[in-house]
Amino acid sequence: MKDKIKNTKTLEDLQKLYSDTFGKNGTMTLQLKNMANLSNDERAAINAENSELRQLFKEKQNELELAALNAKLATEYVDVTLDNEPQNHGTLHPLTQSLKELSAILESFGFTLCTGPEIEDDWHNFTALNTPEYHPARDMQDTFFLKNGNVMRTQTSAIQIRAMEKIGAPIKIFAIGSTYRKELDATHSAMFGQMEGLYVDKNITMSDLVATLRNLLSRFFEREIEIRIRPSYFPFTEPSIEFDMKWDKGKWIELGGAGMVHPNVLRNCKINPDEYQGFAFGFGWDRMAMLKYGLNDIRAFYDGDVRWLKNSGF
Ligand code: PHE
């Protein structure tokens, strides 16, 4: 009997064996029933056998249940260390990526991000920037005019005005945003991204401007960048410069405009130009992204073609 229990392979067989032993007409049940005429020793032997068998059944049941559980776990086992099916991961758009990089660099130089609206009024986009109505410099930019006299912001320089009106001097800010001009070819898009920097304080000079530009470019392109400045004209800076950087094969690439903030602009923002002076710069950061990532058609940035985004390595 004991061997039988020990050799049972399944819970059902054990169940059956159990009722054959302890069921209504089970072998042990009958022995227990008919103990009345037996000697004390014989009874003791049957009782001992009874407890031993019950114990054996219990142990066997535990053993078989554990085995069943293990078998179940083995078939339902999930290997969480296995590689997943390859997934299409989203990535940051190259423009977003370079924008984040440029912001992080300017922030590390102590500039604070400022914003302004894309539909701008005449005052912030032109007049306060020393470009009154009928000023010939208004023709430098092909402006989209709205019926109510507002414009699609042609330059993030408008944010300089908003920031100075709000914060006054000293001030050290940068701005990023979309700007709009009626231009469209491989290197121009009607909407493009501009980044602006403005630093007004006591004793700010042109060399602070040049150092800031050179450090900004060197950090962004992750190598020492040589820059060149050329005299230029913007109504809101005096003197004004344009800056280029040396690229492959010694080629100079035009990047943006800059200069010392014109006293009239400071005055328009209620800042005393005899006390404060500063520099401002502006450039198309989507062009910088093109150069960094080796792309040649600016319009592709805005087409949202997923195949292009994939092939351009992002
Ligand atoms: N706003 C000028 C442009 O769009 C660039 C510029 C910014 C020039 C700041 C001087 C100072 O061309």
Side-chain angles (χ1 to χ4, degrees):
M1 187 64 196
K2 287 173 198 163
D3 286 343
K4 252 189 168 173
I5 299 173
K6 277 186 191 142
N7 294 332
T8 312
K9 293 274 180 301
T10 67
L11 277 167
E12 295 89 78
D13 289 350
L14 190 70
Q15 190 64 46
K16 185 155 182 306
L17 199 56
Y18 186 89
S19 32
D20 289 349
T21 315
F22 297 110
K24 215 167 161 209
N25 297 310
T27 46
M28 183 50 73
T29 312
L30 294 178
Q31 284 192 67
L32 289 168
K33 260 191 196 163
N34 301 325
M35 280 200 310
N37 303 322
L38 299 180
S39 71
N40 279 352
D41 284 352
E42 283 168 323
R43 282 195 208 170
I46 292 173
N47 279 330
E49 165 107 359
N50 178 37
S51 353
E52 198 187 346
L53 286 180
R54 282 185 192 272
Q55 182 63 28
L56 278 178
F57 268 111
K58 203 164 181 185
E59 279 166 15
K60 191 69 192 177
Q61 183 179 4
N62 287 344
E63 182 193 317
L64 288 174
E65 275 174 0
L66 186 65
L69 181 65
N70 282 337
K72 192 168 175 216
L73 286 176
T75 57
E76 290 174 5
Y77 174 72
V78 177
D79 185 353
V80 291
T81 66
L82 277 181
D83 271 352
N84 209 340
E85 288 279 302
Q87 304 265 337
N88 278 331
H89 289 291
T91 52
L92 289 179
H93 191 281
L95 286 181
T96 312
Q97 219 159 291
S98 28
L99 190 146
K100 284 185 159 209
E101 288 163 12
L102 286 164
S103 307
I105 298 168
L106 282 169
E107 272 163 10
S108 79
F109 293 171
F111 289 82
T112 305
L113 177 67
C114 280
T115 55
E118 290 182 22
I119 294 176
E120 195 46 284
D121 55 38
D122 185 275
W123 170 254
H124 292 96
N125 197 83
F126 290 124
T127 305
L129 284 162
N130 202 29
T131 323
E133 214 182 340
Y134 307 121
H135 192 294
R138 286 202 178 198
D139 287 345
M140 285 166 81
Q141 300 163 359
D142 287 321
T143 310
F144 289 115
F145 290 96
L146 277 74
K147 285 210 177 94
N148 63 5
N150 285 343
V151 296
M152 296 305 289
R153 176 171 72 195
T154 60
Q155 48 189 355
T156 44
S157 302
I159 302 173
Q160 285 185 32
I161 304 299
R162 291 192 174 269
M164 282 191 282
E165 283 174 341
K166 202 166 147 195
I167 302 169
I171 185 170
K172 193 174 185 183
I173 58 111
F174 73 106
I176 313 161
S178 295
T179 43
Y180 301 84
R181 291 182 204 174
K182 209 166 162 296
E183 299 169 337
L184 197 61
D185 61 41
T187 53
H188 294 95
S189 139
M191 181 187 85
F192 56 102
Q194 264 199 347
M195 187 172 265
E196 191 90 8
L198 171 75
Y199 186 11
V200 175
D201 204 335
K202 294 176 177 166
N203 306 319
I204 301 294
T205 67
M206 198 80 165
S207 58
D208 296 309
L209 166 63
V210 174
T212 303
L213 292 174
R214 194 178 50 229
N215 289 335
L216 173 63
L217 294 169
S218 298
R219 286 271 297 275
F220 182 68
F221 290 105
E222 292 164 352
R223 60 190 159 98
E224 223 31 67
I225 294 285
E226 200 181 322
I227 66 166
R228 172 173 86 174
I229 59 173
R230 289 177 285 111
S232 184
Y233 175 77
F234 299 100
F236 35 90
T237 43
E238 181 57 38
S240 299
I241 59 162
E242 277 177 88
F243 57 98
D244 309 331
M245 71 168 176
K246 204 172 199 171
W247 200 241
D248 296 341
K249 302 185 190 107
K251 193 175 129 200
W252 288 99
I253 295 185
E254 203 181 307
L255 282 183
M260 300 306 289
V261 181
H262 196 290
N264 286 350
V265 174
L266 294 174
R267 261 182 228 113
N268 285 338
C269 300
K270 309 211 163 35
I271 293 172
N272 180 359
D274 295 327
E275 198 182 350
Y276 289 102
Q277 63 284 134
F279 65 72
F281 61 85
F283 57 86
W285 54 268
D286 41 11
R287 283 201 62 212
M288 305 243 303
M290 281 173 75
L291 291 167
K292 180 162 180 173
Y293 299 114
L295 312 168
N296 44 28
D297 189 340
I298 203 165
R299 292 165 298 191
F301 276 140
Y302 302 108
D303 284 348
D305 184 335
V306 177
R307 287 163 305 179
W308 177 84
L309 288 168
K310 283 221 173 81
N311 289 333
S312 59
F314 298 101

